[in-house]
Amino acid sequence: MDLKTFKLLHPVKYYKDYLENNIRPDGRELEELRPLAISFGVIKNADGSAIVKVGNTTVVCGIKAELASPKALEPHRGFFVPNLELSPVSSPSYRPGPPCDEAQVYSQSLADAINNARCIDLQDLCVSPGKLVWTLYCDLVCLDHDGCVFDAAIIALVSALHTVKLPSIRYNADTEETEVDTAKLSPLAVHCVPVTTSFVMVSDRLVADPSAEEEKLATTALTVTVSDGKMNFFNQSGGDPMDSATLKKCTDSAVKRERSVKKMIQSMRDKLSNKMEQ
Protein backbone atom coordinates (compact mmCIF):
# COMPACT_ATOMS: atom_id res chain seq x y z
CA MET A 1 0.00 0.00 0.00
CA ASP A 2 1.43 3.38 -0.98
CA LEU A 3 1.64 6.28 1.49
CA LYS A 4 -1.21 8.32 -0.03
CA THR A 5 -3.62 5.40 0.13
CA PHE A 6 -2.58 4.59 3.71
CA LYS A 7 -3.16 8.23 4.71
CA LEU A 8 -6.61 8.19 3.09
CA LEU A 9 -7.69 4.92 4.70
CA HIS A 10 -6.04 5.39 8.12
CA PRO A 11 -5.59 9.15 8.73
CA VAL A 12 -5.36 8.85 12.53
CA LYS A 13 -2.74 6.08 12.39
CA TYR A 14 -0.86 8.06 9.71
CA TYR A 15 -0.63 11.13 11.95
CA LYS A 16 0.01 9.11 15.11
CA ASP A 17 3.11 7.53 13.57
CA TYR A 18 4.52 11.01 12.95
CA LEU A 19 3.46 12.50 16.29
CA GLU A 20 5.12 9.70 18.25
CA ASN A 21 8.39 10.99 16.82
CA ASN A 22 7.52 14.58 17.80
CA ILE A 23 7.14 15.70 14.22
CA ARG A 24 4.25 16.38 11.87
CA PRO A 25 3.75 15.31 8.25
CA ASP A 26 4.56 18.85 7.04
CA GLY A 27 7.92 18.71 8.81
CA ARG A 28 7.03 20.99 11.73
CA GLU A 29 7.65 20.16 15.35
CA LEU A 30 4.51 19.82 17.50
CA GLU A 31 4.69 23.36 18.94
CA GLU A 32 6.06 25.04 15.83
CA LEU A 33 3.97 27.76 14.17
CA ARG A 34 3.75 28.24 10.43
CA PRO A 35 5.42 31.23 8.72
CA LEU A 36 3.39 34.46 8.82
CA ALA A 37 3.28 37.11 6.09
CA ILE A 38 1.40 40.44 6.20
CA SER A 39 0.86 43.00 3.45
CA PHE A 40 -0.79 46.41 3.91
CA GLY A 41 -2.90 48.42 1.47
CA VAL A 42 -3.81 45.63 -0.92
CA ILE A 43 -7.25 47.04 -1.89
CA LYS A 44 -7.06 50.50 -3.47
CA ASN A 45 -10.74 51.40 -3.09
CA ALA A 46 -10.87 50.51 0.62
CA ASP A 47 -10.25 52.91 3.50
CA GLY A 48 -7.97 50.26 5.01
CA SER A 49 -6.87 46.81 3.94
CA ALA A 50 -4.43 43.99 4.54
CA ILE A 51 -3.81 40.41 3.52
CA VAL A 52 -2.39 37.75 5.83
CA LYS A 53 -0.94 34.37 5.04
CA VAL A 54 -0.36 31.79 7.79
CA GLY A 55 1.20 28.81 6.08
CA ASN A 56 -1.23 28.21 3.22
CA THR A 57 -4.20 29.82 4.98
CA THR A 58 -4.89 33.20 3.39
CA VAL A 59 -7.34 35.88 4.54
CA VAL A 60 -7.82 39.34 3.02
CA CYS A 61 -9.53 42.20 4.85
CA GLY A 62 -10.97 45.41 3.38
CA ILE A 63 -12.47 48.18 5.53
CA LYS A 64 -14.95 50.77 4.32
CA ALA A 65 -15.92 53.73 6.49
CA GLU A 66 -19.40 55.23 6.12
CA LEU A 67 -21.26 57.94 8.03
CA ALA A 68 -24.37 56.97 9.99
CA SER A 69 -26.61 58.08 12.84
CA PRO A 70 -25.64 56.67 16.27
CA LYS A 71 -27.89 54.67 18.55
CA ALA A 72 -30.09 56.83 20.77
CA LEU A 73 -28.68 55.22 23.94
CA GLU A 74 -25.06 55.49 22.71
CA PRO A 75 -24.84 58.94 21.09
CA HIS A 76 -21.03 59.11 21.31
CA ARG A 77 -20.23 55.68 19.87
CA GLY A 78 -19.70 54.64 16.29
CA PHE A 79 -20.10 51.16 14.84
CA PHE A 80 -17.69 48.32 14.15
CA VAL A 81 -19.09 45.58 11.89
CA PRO A 82 -16.80 42.66 10.93
CA ASN A 83 -17.98 39.99 8.52
CA LEU A 84 -15.99 36.93 7.51
CA GLU A 85 -16.78 35.01 4.34
CA LEU A 86 -15.55 31.47 3.84
CA SER A 87 -15.19 31.49 0.08
CA PRO A 88 -16.01 28.32 -1.90
CA VAL A 89 -12.60 28.68 -3.59
CA SER A 90 -10.91 28.35 -0.19
CA SER A 91 -12.07 24.79 0.46
CA PRO A 92 -14.35 22.12 -1.05
CA SER A 93 -16.24 22.19 2.27
CA TYR A 94 -17.98 25.48 1.42
CA ARG A 95 -20.66 26.24 -1.13
CA PRO A 96 -21.92 29.46 -2.75
CA GLY A 97 -24.89 31.10 -1.06
CA PRO A 98 -25.73 32.55 2.35
CA PRO A 99 -22.96 32.53 4.99
CA CYS A 100 -22.62 29.22 6.80
CA ASP A 101 -22.94 28.89 10.57
CA GLU A 102 -19.16 28.66 10.93
CA ALA A 103 -18.66 31.99 9.16
CA GLN A 104 -21.29 33.68 11.33
CA VAL A 105 -19.61 32.38 14.50
CA TYR A 106 -16.25 33.64 13.28
CA SER A 107 -17.73 37.08 12.51
CA GLN A 108 -19.19 37.42 16.01
CA SER A 109 -15.98 36.13 17.58
CA LEU A 110 -13.98 38.77 15.69
CA ALA A 111 -16.24 41.49 17.08
CA ASP A 112 -15.92 40.05 20.60
CA ALA A 113 -12.12 39.78 20.38
CA ILE A 114 -11.67 43.38 19.21
CA ASN A 115 -14.16 44.77 21.72
CA ASN A 116 -12.88 42.73 24.69
CA ALA A 117 -9.30 43.83 24.02
CA ARG A 118 -10.45 47.44 23.49
CA CYS A 119 -8.44 47.46 20.30
CA ILE A 120 -10.37 50.49 19.06
CA ASP A 121 -12.50 52.97 20.98
CA LEU A 122 -15.90 53.39 19.34
CA GLN A 123 -16.05 56.89 20.81
CA ASP A 124 -13.18 57.82 18.49
CA LEU A 125 -15.65 57.26 15.64
CA CYS A 126 -18.00 60.01 16.85
CA VAL A 127 -18.27 63.05 14.55
CA SER A 128 -21.15 64.87 16.24
CA PRO A 129 -22.70 63.36 19.42
CA GLY A 130 -26.19 62.05 18.78
CA LYS A 131 -26.04 63.11 15.15
CA LEU A 132 -23.22 61.58 13.17
CA VAL A 133 -20.70 58.75 13.65
CA TRP A 134 -18.48 56.56 11.54
CA THR A 135 -19.35 52.92 10.79
CA LEU A 136 -16.44 50.64 9.97
CA TYR A 137 -17.57 47.81 7.70
CA CYS A 138 -14.81 45.19 7.85
CA ASP A 139 -15.19 42.56 5.14
CA LEU A 140 -12.88 39.56 5.39
CA VAL A 141 -12.64 36.77 2.83
CA CYS A 142 -10.83 33.49 3.33
CA LEU A 143 -9.10 32.74 0.02
CA ASP A 144 -7.35 29.54 1.10
CA HIS A 145 -8.39 27.44 4.11
CA ASP A 146 -5.65 25.27 5.52
CA GLY A 147 -6.52 25.53 9.20
CA CYS A 148 -6.60 28.28 11.84
CA VAL A 149 -8.75 30.63 9.76
CA PHE A 150 -9.73 32.65 12.83
CA ASP A 151 -6.07 33.18 13.79
CA ALA A 152 -5.32 34.55 10.31
CA ALA A 153 -8.55 36.57 10.24
CA ILE A 154 -7.91 38.48 13.45
CA ILE A 155 -4.37 39.35 12.35
CA ALA A 156 -5.72 40.51 8.97
CA LEU A 157 -8.41 42.61 10.68
CA VAL A 158 -6.04 44.27 13.15
CA SER A 159 -3.50 44.89 10.37
CA ALA A 160 -6.17 46.52 8.20
CA LEU A 161 -7.32 48.70 11.12
CA HIS A 162 -3.77 50.07 11.32
CA THR A 163 -4.09 51.35 7.75
CA VAL A 164 -7.48 53.10 8.15
CA LYS A 165 -7.47 56.85 7.58
CA LEU A 166 -10.66 58.86 8.01
CA PRO A 167 -11.33 62.17 6.21
CA SER A 168 -12.04 65.37 8.10
CA ILE A 169 -15.76 66.00 8.60
CA ARG A 170 -17.54 69.31 9.15
CA TYR A 171 -21.09 68.86 10.40
CA ASN A 172 -23.52 71.75 10.77
CA ALA A 173 -26.02 70.76 13.48
CA ASP A 174 -28.42 73.53 12.46
CA THR A 175 -28.67 72.72 8.76
CA GLU A 176 -27.59 69.06 9.15
CA GLU A 177 -25.19 69.57 6.24
CA THR A 178 -22.03 67.49 6.07
CA GLU A 179 -18.77 68.47 4.38
CA VAL A 180 -16.16 65.80 3.76
CA ASP A 181 -12.56 66.93 3.29
CA THR A 182 -10.63 64.02 1.79
CA ALA A 183 -7.47 66.14 1.67
CA LYS A 184 -7.21 65.91 5.45
CA LEU A 185 -6.95 62.32 6.61
CA SER A 186 -6.50 61.17 10.19
CA PRO A 187 -5.30 57.64 11.09
CA LEU A 188 -7.59 55.51 13.22
CA ALA A 189 -6.30 55.07 16.77
CA VAL A 190 -5.51 51.38 17.35
CA HIS A 191 -4.76 50.81 21.02
CA CYS A 192 -3.50 47.22 20.99
CA VAL A 193 -2.92 44.14 18.85
CA PRO A 194 -5.04 41.16 19.95
CA VAL A 195 -3.62 37.94 18.54
CA THR A 196 -5.20 34.48 18.67
CA THR A 197 -3.25 31.23 18.66
CA SER A 198 -5.00 27.88 18.23
CA PHE A 199 -4.04 24.44 19.53
CA VAL A 200 -5.54 20.97 19.15
CA MET A 201 -5.07 17.55 20.68
CA VAL A 202 -4.39 14.79 18.16
CA SER A 203 -3.70 11.30 19.48
CA ASP A 204 -3.13 12.80 22.94
CA ARG A 205 -0.45 15.14 21.59
CA LEU A 206 -0.71 18.93 21.77
CA VAL A 207 -0.33 20.51 18.33
CA ALA A 208 0.05 24.26 17.78
CA ASP A 209 -1.28 26.14 14.74
CA PRO A 210 -2.99 23.08 13.25
CA SER A 211 -3.52 22.55 9.54
CA ALA A 212 -6.98 21.78 8.17
CA GLU A 213 -6.25 18.05 8.26
CA GLU A 214 -5.11 18.25 11.88
CA GLU A 215 -8.23 20.20 12.84
CA LYS A 216 -10.40 17.42 11.41
CA LEU A 217 -8.56 14.78 13.45
CA ALA A 218 -8.57 16.81 16.68
CA THR A 219 -10.39 15.58 19.78
CA THR A 220 -9.95 18.89 21.61
CA ALA A 221 -9.55 22.44 20.29
CA LEU A 222 -8.21 25.40 22.24
CA THR A 223 -7.87 29.08 21.31
CA VAL A 224 -5.98 31.67 23.33
CA THR A 225 -6.25 35.38 22.54
CA VAL A 226 -3.54 37.62 23.95
CA SER A 227 -3.30 41.41 24.01
CA ASP A 228 -0.49 43.47 25.58
CA GLY A 229 1.01 40.28 26.98
CA LYS A 230 -2.15 39.29 28.82
CA MET A 231 -4.76 36.67 27.98
CA ASN A 232 -8.16 38.25 27.36
CA PHE A 233 -10.04 35.38 25.74
CA PHE A 234 -9.85 31.63 26.18
CA ASN A 235 -12.02 28.94 24.64
CA GLN A 236 -11.88 25.15 24.70
CA SER A 237 -14.19 22.79 22.89
CA GLY A 238 -14.45 19.00 22.98
CA GLY A 239 -12.40 16.45 24.87
CA ASP A 240 -11.34 16.53 28.51
CA PRO A 241 -10.07 19.61 30.39
CA MET A 242 -6.35 20.26 29.90
CA ASP A 243 -4.02 20.27 32.88
CA SER A 244 -2.42 23.46 34.16
CA ALA A 245 1.00 22.67 32.64
CA THR A 246 -0.53 22.29 29.16
CA LEU A 247 -2.55 25.48 29.52
CA LYS A 248 0.56 27.39 30.62
CA LYS A 249 2.45 26.05 27.63
CA CYS A 250 -0.32 27.27 25.31
CA THR A 251 -0.48 30.68 26.95
CA ASP A 252 3.31 31.17 26.78
CA SER A 253 3.27 30.28 23.09
CA ALA A 254 0.39 32.71 22.47
CA VAL A 255 2.23 35.53 24.26
CA LYS A 256 5.34 34.97 22.11
CA ARG A 257 3.24 35.06 18.96
CA GLU A 258 1.54 38.29 20.01
CA ARG A 259 4.94 39.96 20.49
CA SER A 260 6.09 38.74 17.08
CA VAL A 261 2.94 39.98 15.32
CA LYS A 262 3.15 43.39 17.04
CA LYS A 263 6.74 43.81 15.85
CA MET A 264 5.78 42.80 12.32
CA ILE A 265 2.85 45.24 12.17
CA GLN A 266 4.97 48.05 13.62
CA SER A 267 7.66 47.36 11.02
CA MET A 268 5.06 47.50 8.24
CA ARG A 269 3.72 50.81 9.62
CA ASP A 270 7.21 52.29 9.74
CA LYS A 271 7.86 51.29 6.12
CA LEU A 272 4.53 52.80 5.07
CA SER A 273 5.31 56.06 6.91
CA ASN A 274 8.75 56.28 5.29
CA LYS A 275 7.25 55.84 1.83
CA MET A 276 4.73 58.62 2.44
CA GLU A 277 7.45 60.99 3.70
CA GLN A 278 9.50 60.36 0.57
Side-chain angles (χ1 to χ4, degrees), residues 194-211:
V195 176
T196 295
T197 306
S198 296
F199 306 85
V200 296
M201 295 293 291
V202 179
S203 297
D204 297 325
R205 295 296 185 99
L206 181 69
V207 173
D209 186 20
S211 65

Side-chain angles (χ1 to χ4, degrees), residues 264-278:
M264 188 175 293
I265 290 178
Q266 185 59 52
S267 176
M268 295 291 295
R269 290 187 68 184
D270 292 343
K271 290 180 181 178
L272 195 61
S273 298
N274 292 336
K275 284 184 180 180
M276 293 183 66
E277 290 176 359
Q278 293 174 358

Side-chain angles (χ1 to χ4, degrees), residues 12-270:
V12 176
K13 179 68 168 58
Y14 173 82
Y15 265 87
K16 187 175 181 180
D17 290 344
Y18 276 94
L19 298 180
E20 286 179 348
N21 293 296
N22 295 318
I23 197 170
R24 293 144 82 172
D26 60 9
R28 285 188 290 157
E29 295 182 1
L30 303 190
E31 299 174 21
E32 184 179 348
L33 306 179
R34 290 173 292 182
L36 169 66
I38 304 174
S39 294
F40 282 0
V42 295
I43 304 176
K44 293 182 179 179
N45 295 327
D47 294 307
S49 64
I51 188 169
V52 165
K53 192 174 178 69
V54 180
N56 291 324
T57 297
T58 307
V59 177
V60 62
C61 177
I63 299 177
K64 199 69 177 175
E66 294 185 4
L67 293 169
S69 299
K71 294 180 180 179
L73 297 178
E74 298 179 331
H76 295 84
R77 293 167 62 87
F79 300 97
F80 168 70
V81 187
N83 181 64
L84 175 62
E85 177 187 345
L86 296 171
S87 169
V89 302
S90 70
S91 169
S93 301
Y94 306 116
R95 297 287 182 268
C100 62
D101 292 342
E102 185 180 357
Q104 295 182 54
V105 170
Y106 281 152
S107 297
Q108 183 58 53
S109 296
L110 285 170
D112 292 341
I114 296 297
N115 292 330
N116 291 341
R118 298 182 180 178
C119 178
I120 59 173
D121 188 346
L122 296 183
Q123 294 191 26
D124 292 340
L125 302 177
C126 181
V127 177
S128 179
K131 297 294 183 179
L132 203 64
V133 297
W134 285 108
T135 299
L136 299 181
Y137 291 102
C138 309
D139 293 316
L140 299 99
V141 180
C142 178
L143 303 177
D144 195 345
H145 187 332
D146 189 25
C148 293
V149 168
F150 185 74
D151 296 3
I154 197 166
I155 297 174
L157 176 54
V158 173
S159 299
L161 287 171
H162 277 84
T163 69
V164 172
K165 291 186 176 181
L166 301 175
S168 176
I169 302 294
R170 293 180 181 177
Y171 178 73
N172 189 318
D174 297 326
T175 62
E176 296 186 349
E177 292 183 350
T178 303
E179 293 182 13
V180 181
D181 187 354
T182 55
K184 296 181 180 179
L185 299 175
S186 300
L188 177 69
V190 181
H191 303 290
C192 63
V193 179
V195 176
T196 295
T197 306
S198 296
F199 306 85
V200 296
M201 295 293 291
V202 179
S203 297
D204 297 325
R205 295 296 185 99
L206 181 69
V207 173
D209 186 20
S211 65
E213 287 184 343
E214 290 166 342
E215 286 182 338
K216 291 177 181 177
L217 297 174
T219 54
T220 305
L222 175 71
T223 57
V224 180
T225 303
V226 173
S227 175
D228 289 332
K230 297 179 181 179
M231 183 176 65
N232 58 23
F233 183 76
F234 175 92
N235 182 61
Q236 180 181 339
S237 60
D240 298 322
M242 296 183 181
D243 58 43
S244 58
T246 301
L247 295 178
K248 186 179 185 304
K249 185 184 295 186
C250 294
T251 303
D252 290 345
S253 177
V255 169
K256 290 180 181 178
R257 189 183 206 183
E258 184 241 1
R259 291 173 184 165
S260 175
V261 172
K262 283 177 69 174
K263 289 181 181 179
M264 188 175 293
I265 290 178
Q266 185 59 52
S267 176
M268 295 291 295
R269 290 187 68 184
D270 292 343

